[in-house]
Amino acid sequence: MAFTVVIPARYASSRLPGKPLADIGGRPMIQHVWDRAAESGAGRVIIATDSERIGEAVRGFGGEAVMTRNDHPSGTDRLQEVATTLGLEDDAIVVNVQGDEPLLPAGLINQVAGLLEGAPDAAIATLCEPIRDPKELFNPNAVKVVMDEAGRALYFSRAPIPWDRETFEDQRRMERVPETAGWYRHIGLYAYRVSLLHQFVGWQPAPLERAESLEQLRALWHGARIQVGIAEQTPPAGVDTEADLERVRARLAGPSPHQE
């Protein structure tokens, strides 16, 4: 299975400026992300950045950086620029690994790439995991996904879909998620065919995308098929805040998470 990993890394961050260069155990966070991606079966790992400071750091630890424009509206647009710069073929597979996921298991990168390779009618592949906690089910920050019997995405939402009319009448008393239907949280790890990336950047944001603030709904709106698989393991949370950063520092100071 041949695929390329691209890690978008921007220096600017509203919550944590300079996040990719944040020190974790004497190394910048972006190096930890690169290490996880390098452990996967990817033939090439690229860090896409609009910051020369990040580019210098990447080259300093032996990684490969591709400089991109600084006006991309989304990480998907940055991916498309990298695919064009590298001259990747339309049928090539690119896995987008977020630059703030220093604990992401390499196995999940392989899983999402293999999922797309095994679904020739799909343009995108992504992962999900069952929801067990009612608080997560009703949390709008936890994105839910509904699939058909073949594992193709029907819809993504911040709402608790599907809606169990009887069980959800008094959600405050729910102690566990019912088993009447499957509820799944979307994991934001994507594999793309390069042809889809080229199409995506030419599409206007869809009404559903604007309503939910979920970029993947643009692909569904335009008829692209998204294959969804249940993650083989649960990925630890990424780094959004200083508290997240301290949590990751503490974990990486102990046993290596990818060896557990």
Side-chain angles (χ1 to χ4, degrees):
M1 177 176 61
F3 65 94
T4 299
V5 168
V6 177
I7 307 170
R10 296 177 63 249
Y11 188 84
S13 171
S14 57
R15 291 186 178 180
L16 205 59
K19 180 166 59 173
L21 300 182
D23 182 88
I24 300 177
R27 297 185 296 165
M29 180 166 64
I30 194 63
Q31 185 173 356
H32 290 276
V33 181
W34 186 87
D35 286 343
R36 301 292 80 74
E39 291 170 358
S40 75
R44 193 173 184 181
V45 178
I46 307 290
I47 294 174
T49 184
D50 56 5
S51 166
E52 186 53 45
R53 292 180 64 181
I54 294 175
E56 288 179 2
V58 171
R59 291 186 287 271
F61 63 72
E64 183 178 1
V66 171
M67 302 305 297
T68 60
R69 290 166 26 205
N70 62 5
D71 60 348
H72 285 303
S74 72
T76 308
D77 293 86
R78 197 175 305 280
L79 245 66
Q80 189 271 342
E81 183 185 354
V82 172
T84 300
T85 299
L86 299 180
L88 298 181
E89 298 292 335
D90 281 355
D91 61 350
I93 293 175
V94 173
V95 176
N96 180 16
V97 172
Q98 297 300 320
D100 58 4
E101 299 274 1
L103 301 177
L104 181 69
L108 293 184
I109 300 174
N110 291 333
Q111 182 185 358
V112 76
L115 187 64
L116 184 55
E117 184 182 54
D121 63 337
I124 304 172
T126 191
L127 302 177
C128 69
E129 63 178 352
I131 295 176
R132 310 293 187 193
D133 185 350
K135 291 182 180 178
E136 184 175 41
L137 181 60
F138 293 95
N139 180 357
N141 294 317
V143 177
K144 274 65 71 172
V145 59
V146 172
M147 299 90 75
D148 67 13
E149 64 177 355
R152 292 183 292 260
L154 295 173
Y155 193 65
F156 296 84
S157 181
R158 298 184 181 281
I161 57 172
W163 181 263
D164 189 321
R165 185 173 60 180
E166 294 183 2
T167 305
F168 290 177
E169 282 185 356
D170 190 356
Q171 62 193 56
R172 292 171 298 180
R173 295 186 179 182
M174 286 181 59
E175 297 181 356
R176 61 183 179 84
V177 175
E179 299 180 358
T180 51
W183 282 270
Y184 295 94
R185 182 183 74 85
H186 176 228
I187 296 171
L189 177 65
Y190 293 96
Y192 300 91
R193 298 194 195 280
V194 169
S195 57
L196 182 281
L197 293 174
H198 294 324
Q199 291 178 292
F200 190 93
V201 298
W203 292 334
Q204 291 298 312
L208 295 175
E209 173 188 358
R210 292 193 185 99
E212 296 263 17
S213 294
L214 295 175
E215 189 180 273
Q216 62 269 40
L217 291 175
R218 189 186 314 180
L220 288 184
W221 177 267
H222 288 279
R225 289 183 175 177
I226 302 177
Q227 192 71 30
V228 184
I230 298 176
E232 295 172 351
Q233 57 189 126
T234 299
V239 176
D240 287 324
T241 65
E242 188 69 36
D244 294 336
L245 184 58
E246 291 303 321
R247 170 182 51 80
V248 171
R249 283 171 173 158
R251 179 160 182 182
L252 288 178
S256 179
H258 55 287
Q259 293 178 350
E260 292 177 358

